[in-house]
Amino acid sequence: MPVVSSPVEVVKTDCLTITEYFGNASTQEPRLSAAHVVVSGPGSEAWQTPDFDEYVLITSGEVHILHAGGKAVVKEGSGVLLPAKLRVKWVFPGPCSYVPICMPAFSPDSVHREEGTEGAEDAPVAEPHAGEGPAIITPVDVVKAPSLTITEFFGNVASKDSKMSACVATVSDACEEAYQAPEFAEYVLVLDGEVHLQHAEGTAVVGAGQAAYLKEGERVKWVWPGKCTYVPICLPAFSPTNCHREEEEGAAKDKEAMDRLHALHDGVKDDKAQGA
């Protein structure tokens, strides 16, 4: 059955709050960590050279990432991948919010933070990985249905990555999806509203500010009683074939939405076959 949990506020300062939904502190999950970060004003972080890959979904405002090759400006509605061992400095020009996903999970020991380097945008120091910088990703609306939009920031379609997918799902009206029993594990961060997950033993209710973990092969039906926003993370990445969705009349993803979803994934397969 789905495991519902409450996040842990791991960082709290005057202008920065980091709430961990999955990871070493909140769920003792070593494979990945996922958090919601809210920045209330200008500031910057110390230089750091993490041991983990970091996938970042910018949900409002913008973030500047300094690195040996210069500065990457990542704006609202974009994603950025920071590969492991890349030395970076985060700069916040103003209020913003984002969802960082670290693989493996973040820990204070694995981030290799250089204390005392906060503040001014000092010039970066070249390092062995200077040629490999942040990769800015343009998300793709992989599902566009009357009451449901799913925007993929990372995954088979948006970033051509089959290892992990991460999306922002927006529900505008009460609706429900067909039952499915995916091959992937799914980590869900509910940012606003409420999600009901129907399963063999009942219904798991996941409210705003809560998380849900669905293990591989678990048969569930998603029901949304009203407006909501959530972030689903799938390991390995979602595809229409590995979710094992059951056909169901009146489901949120109508035929047009499913045809589009299949076409987007089929296009990725064709590109890979052609070596694109």
Side-chain angles (χ1 to χ4, degrees):
M1 59 185 294
V3 178
V4 179
S5 60
S6 296
V8 174
E9 200 172 83
V10 291
V11 173
K12 178 70 173 178
T13 70
D14 290 341
C15 63
L16 175 69
T17 302
I18 302 178
T19 305
E20 184 185 276
Y21 283 70
F22 297 98
N24 287 308
S26 56
T27 58
Q28 292 73 59
E29 169 59 74
R31 286 198 292 180
L32 66 73
S33 59
H36 187 218
V37 181
V38 177
V39 179
S40 60
S44 65
E45 270 295 299
W47 284 93
Q48 58 186 41
T49 309
D51 290 332
F52 47 78
D53 292 327
E54 190 163 12
Y55 302 78
V56 186
L57 296 70
I58 307 297
T59 53
S60 70
E62 67 179 55
V63 171
H64 298 176
I65 306 291
L66 304 186
H67 58 101
K71 177 169 68 175
V73 177
V74 195
K75 298 188 176 183
E76 178 178 341
S78 296
V80 62
L81 169 59
L82 307 174
K85 306 299 183 184
L86 178 69
R87 184 172 182 263
V88 296
K89 180 183 180 70
W90 291 68
V91 177
F92 311 110
C96 68
S97 61
Y98 59 95
V99 175
I101 303 162
C102 305
M103 296 177 62
F106 170 95
S107 77
D109 293 333
S110 66
V111 73
H112 302 296
R113 176 184 164 95
E114 301 169 25
E115 298 297 342
T117 61
E118 304 87 348
E121 296 187 18
D122 48 331
V125 177
E127 76 287 327
H129 295 266
E132 186 178 9
I136 297 178
I137 308 297
T138 300
V140 177
D141 286 340
V142 291
V143 171
K144 297 181 73 174
S147 299
L148 173 66
T149 299
I150 301 179
T151 305
E152 184 181 278
F153 282 67
F154 302 97
N156 282 304
V157 176
S159 61
K160 310 298 188 288
D161 187 350
S162 61
K163 181 172 62 176
M164 183 274 286
S165 61
C167 305
V168 172
T170 305
V171 178
S172 59
D173 293 293
C175 58
E176 59 184 55
E177 243 305 282
Y179 270 99
Q180 59 183 36
E183 295 175 17
F184 48 77
E186 191 160 10
Y187 302 77
V188 184
L189 295 69
V190 179
L191 303 181
D192 185 52
E194 196 170 87
V195 173
H196 294 184
L197 299 169
Q198 295 181 3
H199 55 94
E201 298 177 40
T203 300
V205 177
V206 194
Q210 290 187 304
Y213 171 73
L214 295 82
K215 66 181 180 181
E216 299 93 329
E218 183 153 29
R219 184 174 181 265
V220 295
K221 178 184 181 70
W222 291 68
V223 178
W224 302 285
K227 293 181 179 181
C228 75
T229 304
Y230 62 97
V231 176
I233 304 164
C234 304
L235 264 65
F238 168 94
S239 78
T241 54
N242 71 5
C243 73
H244 300 293
R245 179 180 185 267
E246 303 169 17
E247 291 299 325
E248 189 174 303
E249 195 70 30
K253 298 190 190 90
D254 56 17
K255 183 180 184 303
E256 182 179 350
M258 289 305 299
D259 288 347
R260 170 184 167 79
L261 184 61
H262 279 279
L264 287 168
H265 282 263
D266 289 344
V268 171
K269 292 178 185 176
D270 291 343
D271 288 345
K272 288 180 177 178
Q274 297 169 14

